[in-house]
Amino acid sequence: MAIRNIVKNGDGLLRKKSRVVEQFDQRLWTLLDDMTDTMRKADGAGLAAVQVGVLKRAVVVEVDDQLIELINPVIIEAKGKQRGAEGCLSFPGEWGTVTRPMHVTVKAQDRYGKEFTVSGSELMARAFCHELDHLDGKLYVDIAEEMIKE
Ligand code: NI
């Protein structure tokens, strides 16, 4: 496991669409392990592969000590609304007010390619939406009502 560099605001890579993962191999597992290490070191609640420079549809989310790896994730249900502060490890020292669904269900594959669904509310739902947006080159600053800088 290793800490990787986080791609920062202004790097065009963050605007690219990530590719579907087809190989569930050691290379993917190393990437996921490194993403978790990198997210934890940076004290984040989620990280997308593009944020460590890899255009693969892979995400890690960790909320309330629950670590979830999502490969090729898709939101299949979203309910309710929450409005609150959101940040991104690619935008250090910045936060914005973003409205997201309160409950989100995601269908994804695990690191071995097995399909599963997972539901989350509040911060978990926010993290799912934020990280999945990264896979399509979307950034929270595009939809933030106002930005707060440190
Ligand atoms: Ni982010």
Side-chain angles (χ1 to χ4, degrees):
M1 306 235 264
I3 308 294
R4 300 202 189 186
N5 286 327
I6 297 179
V7 175
K8 296 293 184 342
N9 176 27
D11 190 319
L13 201 66
L14 292 174
R15 289 299 183 182
K16 298 217 161 142
K17 200 172 158 81
S18 295
R19 289 181 296 270
V20 170
V21 173
E22 287 170 346
Q23 295 197 11
F24 297 81
D25 55 7
Q26 183 62 54
R27 197 176 166 86
L28 176 69
W29 303 336
T30 302
L31 170 67
L32 290 166
D33 290 343
D34 289 356
M35 284 167 62
T36 295
D37 280 357
T38 305
M39 170 182 68
R40 287 176 173 165
K41 172 103 192 300
D43 217 10
L47 193 72
V50 60
Q51 292 181 276
V52 293
V54 179
L55 285 169
K56 287 183 180 175
R57 302 187 79 81
V59 154
V60 293
V61 168
E62 190 167 47
V63 174
D64 296 334
D65 293 326
Q66 193 188 357
L67 176 68
I68 302 174
E69 298 174 341
L70 302 168
I71 318 301
N72 302 326
V74 180
I75 292 174
I76 55 170
E77 190 172 24
K79 285 189 288 192
K81 247 186 210 183
Q82 57 174 320
R83 187 171 173 273
E86 191 166 316
C88 177
L89 295 179
S90 295
F91 293 75
E94 296 183 30
W95 288 270
T97 304
V98 181
T99 300
R100 299 282 194 185
M102 181 57 98
H103 311 279
V104 171
T105 301
V106 174
K107 185 177 83 172
Q109 285 165 281
D110 69 11
R111 61 164 57 204
Y112 307 105
K114 190 173 185 295
E115 262 193 19
F116 68 102
T117 60
V118 59
S119 298
S121 300
E122 299 183 27
L123 182 55
M124 184 72 90
R126 181 178 289 284
F128 286 159
C129 294
H130 178 111
E131 300 311 329
L132 268 61
D133 276 354
H134 272 299
L135 303 182
D136 292 319
K138 296 183 201 158
L139 298 170
Y140 86 102
V141 291
D142 302 338
I143 53 170
E145 289 166 46
E146 62 206 346
M147 293 296 296
I148 306 143
K149 297 199 183 190
E150 210 166 53

